[in-house]
Amino acid sequence: MRPVRTIEIVANGRRYREAVEPRLSLADFLRDRLGLTGTHLGCEQGVCGSCTVLLDGKTVRSCLVLAVQADGRSVTTVEGLAGGPEDPGGLHPVQRAFLEAAAFQCGYCTPGFLLTVDELLRENPAPSEEEIRERLSGNLCRCTGYQHIVDAALRAAARPRPEQNHGGHPAP
Ligand code: FES
Ligand code: FES
């Protein structure tokens, strides 16, 4: 029998307690165990940024993080962005900006970009185009040529955003 360890994770505000193998990646845990398939896998080597999620509010490449390393911590995936307190049924402002700017084509890279832009705007609410390009330089997109993604980030920065809990506060 393979060794397992029981972990507790709050994902998108909901608490999970699961037994996992020590080598299970956070990406595979989120996708295969929790059904959060909005976290996409591209390179699985930490290069493309498709698997980006927020761990205690900070972006990580979930293909390079083990599920056991997220024990006791809070994860936000793209599924957790929408439906903030100001608009429970609606898109997150960053998502809306991507939609309005037509900032995706196939959409495979989009969840990683959304969470990266969300983190940037929480740290720096009024970034320059250069700062946006610098922050997004670790996320690869094979379709768009990036200009519309940068436009979307500028558009999102220009409008108010809700306070969202991306921290480590456990769900009730
Ligand atoms: S799949 Fe994780 S960085 Fe590419
Ligand atoms: S929209 Fe296709 S990879 Fe970015």
mmCIF file of all heavy atoms in Angstrom, residues 99-144:
data_model
loop_
_atom_site.group_PDB
_atom_site.id
_atom_site.type_symbol
_atom_site.label_atom_id
_atom_site.label_comp_id
_atom_site.label_asym_id
_atom_site.label_seq_id
_atom_site.Cartn_x
_atom_site.Cartn_y
_atom_site.Cartn_z
ATOM 1 N N LEU A 99 -12.753 39.756 -21.064
ATOM 2 C CA LEU A 99 -13.842 39.532 -22.023
ATOM 3 C C LEU A 99 -14.002 40.754 -22.923
ATOM 4 O O LEU A 99 -14.065 40.627 -24.157
ATOM 5 C CB LEU A 99 -15.127 39.265 -21.237
ATOM 6 C CG LEU A 99 -16.356 38.830 -22.015
ATOM 7 C CD1 LEU A 99 -16.102 37.522 -22.760
ATOM 8 C CD2 LEU A 99 -17.542 38.653 -21.067
ATOM 9 N N GLU A 100 -14.035 41.917 -22.327
ATOM 10 C CA GLU A 100 -14.255 43.149 -23.095
ATOM 11 C C GLU A 100 -13.094 43.446 -24.043
ATOM 12 O O GLU A 100 -13.291 43.998 -25.128
ATOM 13 C CB GLU A 100 -14.462 44.321 -22.136
ATOM 14 C CG GLU A 100 -15.765 44.223 -21.364
ATOM 15 C CD GLU A 100 -15.864 45.252 -20.242
ATOM 16 O OE1 GLU A 100 -14.896 46.005 -20.024
ATOM 17 O OE2 GLU A 100 -16.904 45.276 -19.582
ATOM 18 N N ALA A 101 -11.877 43.081 -23.634
ATOM 19 C CA ALA A 101 -10.698 43.362 -24.470
ATOM 20 C C ALA A 101 -10.402 42.226 -25.443
ATOM 21 O O ALA A 101 -9.417 42.299 -26.173
ATOM 22 C CB ALA A 101 -9.483 43.614 -23.571
ATOM 23 N N ALA A 102 -11.238 41.195 -25.437
ATOM 24 C CA ALA A 102 -11.004 40.018 -26.295
ATOM 25 C C ALA A 102 -9.585 39.494 -26.084
ATOM 26 O O ALA A 102 -8.825 39.283 -27.033
ATOM 27 C CB ALA A 102 -11.258 40.356 -27.759
ATOM 28 N N ALA A 103 -9.257 39.263 -24.814
ATOM 29 C CA ALA A 103 -7.882 38.948 -24.438
ATOM 30 C C ALA A 103 -7.595 37.451 -24.443
ATOM 31 O O ALA A 103 -6.683 36.988 -23.752
ATOM 32 C CB ALA A 103 -7.589 39.549 -23.070
ATOM 33 N N PHE A 104 -8.352 36.693 -25.172
ATOM 34 C CA PHE A 104 -8.072 35.250 -25.282
ATOM 35 C C PHE A 104 -8.589 34.741 -26.612
ATOM 36 O O PHE A 104 -9.471 35.352 -27.228
ATOM 37 C CB PHE A 104 -8.698 34.450 -24.140
ATOM 38 C CG PHE A 104 -10.127 34.804 -23.870
ATOM 39 C CD1 PHE A 104 -11.147 34.228 -24.606
ATOM 40 C CD2 PHE A 104 -10.448 35.722 -22.886
ATOM 41 C CE1 PHE A 104 -12.468 34.551 -24.364
ATOM 42 C CE2 PHE A 104 -11.768 36.058 -22.627
ATOM 43 C CZ PHE A 104 -12.781 35.479 -23.371
ATOM 44 N N GLN A 105 -7.996 33.645 -27.031
ATOM 45 C CA GLN A 105 -8.503 32.954 -28.230
ATOM 46 C C GLN A 105 -8.874 31.531 -27.828
ATOM 47 O O GLN A 105 -10.029 31.258 -27.570
ATOM 48 C CB GLN A 105 -7.456 33.016 -29.342
ATOM 49 C CG GLN A 105 -7.317 34.435 -29.897
ATOM 50 C CD GLN A 105 -6.319 34.542 -31.024
ATOM 51 O OE1 GLN A 105 -6.114 33.615 -31.792
ATOM 52 N NE2 GLN A 105 -5.676 35.696 -31.135
ATOM 53 N N CYS A 106 -7.894 30.637 -27.709
ATOM 54 C CA CYS A 106 -8.268 29.285 -27.263
ATOM 55 C C CYS A 106 -8.609 29.275 -25.774
ATOM 56 O O CYS A 106 -9.352 28.416 -25.327
ATOM 57 C CB CYS A 106 -7.157 28.284 -27.567
ATOM 58 S SG CYS A 106 -5.772 28.316 -26.396
ATOM 59 N N GLY A 107 -8.038 30.195 -25.012
ATOM 60 C CA GLY A 107 -8.356 30.313 -23.590
ATOM 61 C C GLY A 107 -7.552 29.406 -22.682
ATOM 62 O O GLY A 107 -7.733 29.450 -21.463
ATOM 63 N N TYR A 108 -6.647 28.609 -23.252
ATOM 64 C CA TYR A 108 -5.939 27.651 -22.393
ATOM 65 C C TYR A 108 -5.075 28.350 -21.345
ATOM 66 O O TYR A 108 -4.991 27.913 -20.204
ATOM 67 C CB TYR A 108 -5.075 26.706 -23.246
ATOM 68 C CG TYR A 108 -4.731 25.455 -22.512
ATOM 69 C CD1 TYR A 108 -5.620 24.383 -22.472
ATOM 70 C CD2 TYR A 108 -3.535 25.345 -21.802
ATOM 71 C CE1 TYR A 108 -5.328 23.235 -21.763
ATOM 72 C CE2 TYR A 108 -3.232 24.206 -21.094
ATOM 73 C CZ TYR A 108 -4.135 23.150 -21.076
ATOM 74 O OH TYR A 108 -3.846 22.016 -20.356
ATOM 75 N N CYS A 109 -4.462 29.444 -21.757
ATOM 76 C CA CYS A 109 -3.561 30.173 -20.846
ATOM 77 C C CYS A 109 -4.320 31.097 -19.893
ATOM 78 O O CYS A 109 -3.737 31.622 -18.944
ATOM 79 C CB CYS A 109 -2.592 31.017 -21.662
ATOM 80 S SG CYS A 109 -3.433 32.352 -22.576
ATOM 81 N N THR A 110 -5.587 31.351 -20.185
ATOM 82 C CA THR A 110 -6.315 32.451 -19.548
ATOM 83 C C THR A 110 -6.409 32.349 -18.025
ATOM 84 O O THR A 110 -6.203 33.367 -17.334
ATOM 85 C CB THR A 110 -7.718 32.592 -20.170
ATOM 86 O OG1 THR A 110 -7.579 32.673 -21.596
ATOM 87 C CG2 THR A 110 -8.415 33.836 -19.667
ATOM 88 N N PRO A 111 -6.702 31.196 -17.445
ATOM 89 C CA PRO A 111 -6.781 31.162 -15.975
ATOM 90 C C PRO A 111 -5.499 31.644 -15.303
ATOM 91 O O PRO A 111 -5.557 32.385 -14.315
ATOM 92 C CB PRO A 111 -7.061 29.684 -15.673
ATOM 93 C CG PRO A 111 -7.782 29.196 -16.894
ATOM 94 C CD PRO A 111 -7.107 29.905 -18.043
ATOM 95 N N GLY A 112 -4.368 31.243 -15.842
ATOM 96 C CA GLY A 112 -3.101 31.679 -15.263
ATOM 97 C C GLY A 112 -2.906 33.179 -15.383
ATOM 98 O O GLY A 112 -2.437 33.837 -14.442
ATOM 99 N N PHE A 113 -3.275 33.740 -16.531
ATOM 100 C CA PHE A 113 -3.167 35.192 -16.693
ATOM 101 C C PHE A 113 -4.106 35.920 -15.736
ATOM 102 O O PHE A 113 -3.740 36.938 -15.138
ATOM 103 C CB PHE A 113 -3.492 35.591 -18.137
ATOM 104 C CG PHE A 113 -2.313 35.504 -19.069
ATOM 105 C CD1 PHE A 113 -2.144 34.411 -19.894
ATOM 106 C CD2 PHE A 113 -1.370 36.517 -19.112
ATOM 107 C CE1 PHE A 113 -1.058 34.323 -20.755
ATOM 108 C CE2 PHE A 113 -0.278 36.446 -19.966
ATOM 109 C CZ PHE A 113 -0.114 35.335 -20.793
ATOM 110 N N LEU A 114 -5.328 35.438 -15.592
ATOM 111 C CA LEU A 114 -6.300 36.106 -14.723
ATOM 112 C C LEU A 114 -5.787 36.202 -13.289
ATOM 113 O O LEU A 114 -5.863 37.256 -12.650
ATOM 114 C CB LEU A 114 -7.633 35.350 -14.747
ATOM 115 C CG LEU A 114 -8.436 35.414 -16.051
ATOM 116 C CD1 LEU A 114 -9.579 34.411 -16.008
ATOM 117 C CD2 LEU A 114 -8.969 36.824 -16.289
ATOM 118 N N LEU A 115 -5.257 35.096 -12.788
ATOM 119 C CA LEU A 115 -4.796 35.097 -11.397
ATOM 120 C C LEU A 115 -3.530 35.934 -11.241
ATOM 121 O O LEU A 115 -3.331 36.582 -10.208
ATOM 122 C CB LEU A 115 -4.581 33.651 -10.933
ATOM 123 C CG LEU A 115 -5.906 32.886 -10.798
ATOM 124 C CD1 LEU A 115 -5.676 31.389 -10.757
ATOM 125 C CD2 LEU A 115 -6.675 33.334 -9.566
ATOM 126 N N THR A 116 -2.698 35.959 -12.277
ATOM 127 C CA THR A 116 -1.491 36.790 -12.216
ATOM 128 C C THR A 116 -1.858 38.267 -12.229
ATOM 129 O O THR A 116 -1.287 39.073 -11.470
ATOM 130 C CB THR A 116 -0.563 36.444 -13.398
ATOM 131 O OG1 THR A 116 -0.251 35.046 -13.347
ATOM 132 C CG2 THR A 116 0.732 37.243 -13.334
ATOM 133 N N VAL A 117 -2.815 38.644 -13.064
ATOM 134 C CA VAL A 117 -3.252 40.047 -13.099
ATOM 135 C C VAL A 117 -3.951 40.410 -11.783
ATOM 136 O O VAL A 117 -3.741 41.504 -11.245
ATOM 137 C CB VAL A 117 -4.180 40.300 -14.306
ATOM 138 C CG1 VAL A 117 -4.804 41.700 -14.225
ATOM 139 C CG2 VAL A 117 -3.410 40.150 -15.609
ATOM 140 N N ASP A 118 -4.736 39.502 -11.263
ATOM 141 C CA ASP A 118 -5.404 39.770 -9.984
ATOM 142 C C ASP A 118 -4.377 40.059 -8.891
ATOM 143 O O ASP A 118 -4.516 41.028 -8.130
ATOM 144 C CB ASP A 118 -6.267 38.564 -9.593
ATOM 145 C CG ASP A 118 -6.852 38.728 -8.204
ATOM 146 O OD1 ASP A 118 -7.696 39.623 -8.020
ATOM 147 O OD2 ASP A 118 -6.454 37.972 -7.299
ATOM 148 N N GLU A 119 -3.337 39.250 -8.817
ATOM 149 C CA GLU A 119 -2.289 39.478 -7.814
ATOM 150 C C GLU A 119 -1.597 40.820 -8.043
ATOM 151 O O GLU A 119 -1.381 41.596 -7.106
ATOM 152 C CB GLU A 119 -1.255 38.357 -7.873
ATOM 153 C CG GLU A 119 -0.108 38.558 -6.887
ATOM 154 C CD GLU A 119 1.016 37.576 -7.135
ATOM 155 O OE1 GLU A 119 1.504 37.485 -8.272
ATOM 156 O OE2 GLU A 119 1.403 36.890 -6.175
ATOM 157 N N LEU A 120 -1.251 41.095 -9.300
ATOM 158 C CA LEU A 120 -0.572 42.360 -9.605
ATOM 159 C C LEU A 120 -1.405 43.550 -9.150
ATOM 160 O O LEU A 120 -0.883 44.477 -8.511
ATOM 161 C CB LEU A 120 -0.316 42.455 -11.123
ATOM 162 C CG LEU A 120 0.146 43.829 -11.625
ATOM 163 C CD1 LEU A 120 1.483 44.211 -11.020
ATOM 164 C CD2 LEU A 120 0.208 43.850 -13.148
ATOM 165 N N LEU A 121 -2.704 43.528 -9.442
ATOM 166 C CA LEU A 121 -3.536 44.694 -9.135
ATOM 167 C C LEU A 121 -3.807 44.828 -7.643
ATOM 168 O O LEU A 121 -4.074 45.930 -7.167
ATOM 169 C CB LEU A 121 -4.849 44.633 -9.923
ATOM 170 C CG LEU A 121 -4.689 44.692 -11.446
ATOM 171 C CD1 LEU A 121 -6.044 44.712 -12.120
ATOM 172 C CD2 LEU A 121 -3.854 45.885 -11.876
ATOM 173 N N ARG A 122 -3.734 43.732 -6.907
ATOM 174 C CA ARG A 122 -3.841 43.849 -5.448
ATOM 175 C C ARG A 122 -2.568 44.456 -4.864
ATOM 176 O O ARG A 122 -2.597 45.163 -3.870
ATOM 177 C CB ARG A 122 -4.131 42.482 -4.813
ATOM 178 C CG ARG A 122 -5.594 42.080 -4.958
ATOM 179 C CD ARG A 122 -5.919 40.775 -4.252
ATOM 180 N NE ARG A 122 -5.352 39.629 -4.940
ATOM 181 C CZ ARG A 122 -4.377 38.860 -4.483
ATOM 182 N NH1 ARG A 122 -3.849 39.116 -3.307
ATOM 183 N NH2 ARG A 122 -3.912 37.843 -5.179
ATOM 184 N N GLU A 123 -1.436 44.163 -5.491
ATOM 185 C CA GLU A 123 -0.165 44.725 -5.004
ATOM 186 C C GLU A 123 0.067 46.146 -5.513
ATOM 187 O O GLU A 123 0.681 46.966 -4.838
ATOM 188 C CB GLU A 123 0.994 43.840 -5.473
ATOM 189 C CG GLU A 123 1.014 42.473 -4.830
ATOM 190 C CD GLU A 123 2.113 41.602 -5.404
ATOM 191 O OE1 GLU A 123 2.900 42.071 -6.252
ATOM 192 O OE2 GLU A 123 2.169 40.429 -5.023
ATOM 193 N N ASN A 124 -0.374 46.394 -6.728
ATOM 194 C CA ASN A 124 -0.105 47.672 -7.396
ATOM 195 C C ASN A 124 -1.346 48.045 -8.205
ATOM 196 O O ASN A 124 -1.491 47.643 -9.354
ATOM 197 C CB ASN A 124 1.122 47.510 -8.314
ATOM 198 C CG ASN A 124 1.426 48.772 -9.091
ATOM 199 O OD1 ASN A 124 0.772 49.806 -8.901
ATOM 200 N ND2 ASN A 124 2.405 48.696 -9.975
ATOM 201 N N PRO A 125 -2.255 48.792 -7.611
ATOM 202 C CA PRO A 125 -3.554 49.055 -8.266
ATOM 203 C C PRO A 125 -3.455 49.871 -9.547
ATOM 204 O O PRO A 125 -4.396 49.871 -10.331
ATOM 205 C CB PRO A 125 -4.328 49.836 -7.195
ATOM 206 C CG PRO A 125 -3.638 49.553 -5.910
ATOM 207 C CD PRO A 125 -2.202 49.334 -6.247
ATOM 208 N N ALA A 126 -2.344 50.539 -9.755
ATOM 209 C CA ALA A 126 -2.229 51.364 -10.969
ATOM 210 C C ALA A 126 -0.902 51.094 -11.680
ATOM 211 O O ALA A 126 -0.042 51.971 -11.777
ATOM 212 C CB ALA A 126 -2.355 52.843 -10.612
ATOM 213 N N PRO A 127 -0.710 49.898 -12.191
ATOM 214 C CA PRO A 127 0.570 49.569 -12.824
ATOM 215 C C PRO A 127 0.690 50.235 -14.194
ATOM 216 O O PRO A 127 -0.305 50.487 -14.876
ATOM 217 C CB PRO A 127 0.510 48.049 -12.967
ATOM 218 C CG PRO A 127 -0.954 47.756 -13.097
ATOM 219 C CD PRO A 127 -1.647 48.772 -12.239
ATOM 220 N N SER A 128 1.921 50.502 -14.571
ATOM 221 C CA SER A 128 2.184 50.981 -15.927
ATOM 222 C C SER A 128 2.133 49.791 -16.891
ATOM 223 O O SER A 128 2.170 48.625 -16.470
ATOM 224 C CB SER A 128 3.567 51.622 -15.993
ATOM 225 O OG SER A 128 4.563 50.633 -15.770
ATOM 226 N N GLU A 129 2.082 50.111 -18.182
ATOM 227 C CA GLU A 129 2.103 49.021 -19.169
ATOM 228 C C GLU A 129 3.392 48.206 -19.033
ATOM 229 O O GLU A 129 3.379 46.985 -19.143
ATOM 230 C CB GLU A 129 1.956 49.580 -20.588
ATOM 231 C CG GLU A 129 2.038 48.483 -21.633
ATOM 232 C CD GLU A 129 1.609 48.923 -23.016
ATOM 233 O OE1 GLU A 129 0.916 49.948 -23.118
ATOM 234 O OE2 GLU A 129 1.967 48.218 -23.975
ATOM 235 N N GLU A 130 4.480 48.886 -18.762
ATOM 236 C CA GLU A 130 5.754 48.174 -18.602
ATOM 237 C C GLU A 130 5.700 47.222 -17.404
ATOM 238 O O GLU A 130 6.192 46.084 -17.470
ATOM 239 C CB GLU A 130 6.874 49.197 -18.425
ATOM 240 C CG GLU A 130 8.255 48.602 -18.525
ATOM 241 C CD GLU A 130 9.333 49.660 -18.374
ATOM 242 O OE1 GLU A 130 9.013 50.861 -18.408
ATOM 243 O OE2 GLU A 130 10.493 49.271 -18.202
ATOM 244 N N GLU A 131 5.114 47.694 -16.303
ATOM 245 C CA GLU A 131 5.012 46.829 -15.119
ATOM 246 C C GLU A 131 4.098 45.640 -15.393
ATOM 247 O O GLU A 131 4.346 44.526 -14.912
ATOM 248 C CB GLU A 131 4.493 47.647 -13.931
ATOM 249 C CG GLU A 131 5.520 48.635 -13.395
ATOM 250 C CD GLU A 131 4.947 49.616 -12.381
ATOM 251 O OE1 GLU A 131 3.766 50.025 -12.519
ATOM 252 O OE2 GLU A 131 5.688 49.999 -11.464
ATOM 253 N N ILE A 132 3.057 45.855 -16.149
ATOM 254 C CA ILE A 132 2.167 44.741 -16.507
ATOM 255 C C ILE A 132 2.920 43.728 -17.362
ATOM 256 O O ILE A 132 2.868 42.520 -17.113
ATOM 257 C CB ILE A 132 0.921 45.274 -17.252
ATOM 258 C CG1 ILE A 132 0.028 46.053 -16.282
ATOM 259 C CG2 ILE A 132 0.146 44.132 -17.897
ATOM 260 C CD1 ILE A 132 -1.083 46.819 -16.961
ATOM 261 N N ARG A 133 3.635 44.216 -18.353
ATOM 262 C CA ARG A 133 4.380 43.304 -19.226
ATOM 263 C C ARG A 133 5.435 42.522 -18.438
ATOM 264 O O ARG A 133 5.643 41.325 -18.676
ATOM 265 C CB ARG A 133 5.028 44.077 -20.374
ATOM 266 C CG ARG A 133 4.024 44.551 -21.408
ATOM 267 C CD ARG A 133 4.699 45.196 -22.613
ATOM 268 N NE ARG A 133 3.717 45.643 -23.567
ATOM 269 C CZ ARG A 133 3.159 44.858 -24.500
ATOM 270 N NH1 ARG A 133 3.520 43.600 -24.592
ATOM 271 N NH2 ARG A 133 2.253 45.328 -25.326
ATOM 272 N N GLU A 134 6.064 43.205 -17.502
ATOM 273 C CA GLU A 134 7.071 42.530 -16.677
ATOM 274 C C GLU A 134 6.419 41.410 -15.856
ATOM 275 O O GLU A 134 6.903 40.284 -15.816
ATOM 276 C CB GLU A 134 7.730 43.563 -15.754
ATOM 277 C CG GLU A 134 8.623 42.988 -14.676
ATOM 278 C CD GLU A 134 9.904 42.383 -15.232
ATOM 279 O OE1 GLU A 134 10.323 42.820 -16.323
ATOM 280 O OE2 GLU A 134 10.454 41.477 -14.581
ATOM 281 N N ARG A 135 5.291 41.720 -15.222
ATOM 282 C CA ARG A 135 4.628 40.715 -14.377
ATOM 283 C C ARG A 135 4.105 39.545 -15.204
ATOM 284 O O ARG A 135 4.111 38.403 -14.754
ATOM 285 C CB ARG A 135 3.485 41.357 -13.593
ATOM 286 C CG ARG A 135 2.750 40.384 -12.673
ATOM 287 C CD ARG A 135 3.678 39.830 -11.612
ATOM 288 N NE ARG A 135 4.107 40.856 -10.684
ATOM 289 C CZ ARG A 135 3.536 41.059 -9.501
ATOM 290 N NH1 ARG A 135 2.571 40.270 -9.092
ATOM 291 N NH2 ARG A 135 3.966 42.022 -8.718
ATOM 292 N N LEU A 136 3.653 39.835 -16.400
ATOM 293 C CA LEU A 136 3.070 38.772 -17.229
ATOM 294 C C LEU A 136 4.126 37.987 -17.999
ATOM 295 O O LEU A 136 3.785 37.041 -18.724
ATOM 296 C CB LEU A 136 2.058 39.372 -18.220
ATOM 297 C CG LEU A 136 0.815 40.021 -17.590
ATOM 298 C CD1 LEU A 136 -0.107 40.540 -18.678
ATOM 299 C CD2 LEU A 136 0.075 39.014 -16.710
ATOM 300 N N SER A 137 5.376 38.346 -17.834
ATOM 301 C CA SER A 137 6.414 37.720 -18.658
ATOM 302 C C SER A 137 6.600 36.237 -18.342
ATOM 303 O O SER A 137 7.192 35.513 -19.144
ATOM 304 C CB SER A 137 7.744 38.459 -18.477
ATOM 305 O OG SER A 137 8.175 38.380 -17.130
ATOM 306 N N GLY A 138 6.076 35.797 -17.216
ATOM 307 C CA GLY A 138 6.191 34.377 -16.886
ATOM 308 C C GLY A 138 5.009 33.547 -17.329
ATOM 309 O O GLY A 138 4.941 32.347 -17.034
ATOM 310 N N ASN A 139 4.063 34.164 -18.012
ATOM 311 C CA ASN A 139 2.895 33.430 -18.518
ATOM 312 C C ASN A 139 2.956 33.428 -20.045
ATOM 313 O O ASN A 139 3.066 34.482 -20.668
ATOM 314 C CB ASN A 139 1.591 34.105 -18.062
ATOM 315 C CG ASN A 139 1.349 33.935 -16.580
ATOM 316 O OD1 ASN A 139 2.030 34.540 -15.754
ATOM 317 N ND2 ASN A 139 0.393 33.107 -16.221
ATOM 318 N N LEU A 140 2.871 32.254 -20.606
ATOM 319 C CA LEU A 140 2.981 32.128 -22.061
ATOM 320 C C LEU A 140 1.606 31.985 -22.695
ATOM 321 O O LEU A 140 0.731 31.296 -22.163
ATOM 322 C CB LEU A 140 3.839 30.916 -22.427
ATOM 323 C CG LEU A 140 5.258 30.908 -21.846
ATOM 324 C CD1 LEU A 140 6.031 29.703 -22.351
ATOM 325 C CD2 LEU A 140 5.993 32.199 -22.166
ATOM 326 N N CYS A 141 1.441 32.651 -23.832
ATOM 327 C CA CYS A 141 0.220 32.522 -24.626
ATOM 328 C C CYS A 141 0.644 32.284 -26.071
ATOM 329 O O CYS A 141 1.436 33.055 -26.614
ATOM 330 C CB CYS A 141 -0.624 33.786 -24.530
ATOM 331 S SG CYS A 141 -2.061 33.752 -25.641
ATOM 332 N N ARG A 142 0.096 31.263 -26.670
ATOM 333 C CA ARG A 142 0.495 30.929 -28.039
ATOM 334 C C ARG A 142 -0.447 31.518 -29.075
ATOM 335 O O ARG A 142 -0.257 31.312 -30.263
ATOM 336 C CB ARG A 142 0.569 29.414 -28.199
ATOM 337 C CG ARG A 142 1.537 28.797 -27.230
ATOM 338 C CD ARG A 142 1.884 27.407 -27.562
ATOM 339 N NE ARG A 142 2.655 27.337 -28.798
ATOM 340 C CZ ARG A 142 3.235 26.243 -29.252
ATOM 341 N NH1 ARG A 142 3.138 25.133 -28.568
ATOM 342 N NH2 ARG A 142 3.902 26.247 -30.383
ATOM 343 N N CYS A 143 -1.496 32.208 -28.632
ATOM 344 C CA CYS A 143 -2.510 32.663 -29.588
ATOM 345 C C CYS A 143 -2.541 34.175 -29.790
ATOM 346 O O CYS A 143 -2.659 34.640 -30.911
ATOM 347 C CB CYS A 143 -3.897 32.250 -29.124
ATOM 348 S SG CYS A 143 -4.142 30.496 -28.851
ATOM 349 N N THR A 144 -2.499 34.932 -28.708
ATOM 350 C CA THR A 144 -2.992 36.313 -28.793
ATOM 351 C C THR A 144 -1.962 37.342 -29.208
ATOM 352 O O THR A 144 -2.331 38.444 -29.625
ATOM 353 C CB THR A 144 -3.524 36.770 -27.417
ATOM 354 O OG1 THR A 144 -2.432 36.764 -26.482
ATOM 355 C CG2 THR A 144 -4.628 35.871 -26.915
#
